[in-house]
Amino acid sequence: DVGCGRGDFSRFIIEHVNSDIQYFGIDKNPIMNTIADIKYPGINITHVDFDVLLAPLSPYDWVFHINNLSVNYGNIKPDETKYDYLQSVISKSLSISKDGVILILNSDSEDENIITHSIDKVVMILKDMNVRFAIDNTDIRNTYKVIIYNKPF
């Protein structure tokens, strides 16, 4: 779980998806790591920046980015666009996952601090990457899920 913040998704996935899951969360904000450690003792949450995260010895099943790409582009290079950075994040996430990547992105926001991603542009990036994907924008207003599969059809 990249950009896991306080670790709230860990609790959700363990309680509602699979109680035997081996959760691993990362967040580069040490304050968020401390809060997560207090709220969810025993959950594996590490203070590290995704951009410098080394590949694990064995791939993760899934890599999640839940709204962290809507608030944090601190590592974007001066000559990169938000879409260049998004593509590099997707590529790295696929390289460290066995089954795929799940992104939660914002398509629109009245808050100027929220980074938005056009669904059409994201579809174009994914097609250029030649990956299998699905997009669902039916749940929450201005937010959509992107599931990118690492396995062929």
Side-chain angles (χ1 to χ4, degrees):
D1 180 11
V2 179
C4 66
R6 301 175 309 182
D8 295 329
F9 182 64
S10 69
R11 177 66 142 227
F12 172 82
I13 200 163
I14 289 168
E15 288 182 359
H16 299 285
V17 179
N18 183 345
S19 61
D20 294 327
I21 197 164
Q22 291 182 346
Y23 175 87
F24 179 68
I26 65 169
D27 201 294
K28 68 180 182 178
N29 184 332
I31 295 169
M32 288 293 146
N33 295 132
T34 301
I35 293 169
D37 288 341
I38 293 167
K39 284 181 77 172
Y40 307 110
I43 296 294
N44 189 359
I45 295 177
T46 300
H47 173 235
V48 68
D49 187 336
F50 178 72
D51 289 336
V52 297
L53 178 70
L54 300 175
L57 295 177
S58 61
Y60 304 108
D61 291 331
W62 287 92
V63 174
F64 293 87
H65 295 269
I66 301 179
N67 277 336
N68 67 318
L69 294 170
S70 298
V71 295
N72 183 8
Y73 273 91
N75 296 338
I76 193 167
K77 296 177 181 86
D79 59 336
E80 277 185 319
T81 69
K82 65 182 177 182
Y83 293 105
D84 294 330
Y85 184 71
L86 178 64
Q87 184 171 349
S88 70
V89 165
I90 293 169
S91 293
K92 180 170 185 174
S93 298
L94 285 170
S95 76
I96 63 172
S97 71
K98 183 173 60 171
D99 296 321
V101 178
I102 296 178
L103 307 170
I104 307 292
L105 299 171
N106 289 324
S107 59
D108 188 29
S109 176
E110 294 177 10
D111 183 342
E112 63 186 39
N113 297 314
I114 299 295
I115 298 167
T116 60
H117 297 89
S118 153
I119 291 177
D120 293 339
K121 184 73 172 170
V122 171
V123 166
M124 190 170 73
I125 289 168
L126 295 171
K127 285 182 176 179
D128 286 347
M129 293 178 73
N130 199 28
V131 294
R132 187 168 60 112
F133 65 93
I135 293 181
D136 176 11
N137 64 346
T138 59
D139 289 341
I140 303 170
R141 185 175 160 260
N142 300 331
T143 302
Y144 60 100
K145 293 183 289 270
V146 181
I147 303 170
I148 308 163
Y149 301 94
N150 237 347
K151 298 180 179 179
F153 289 100

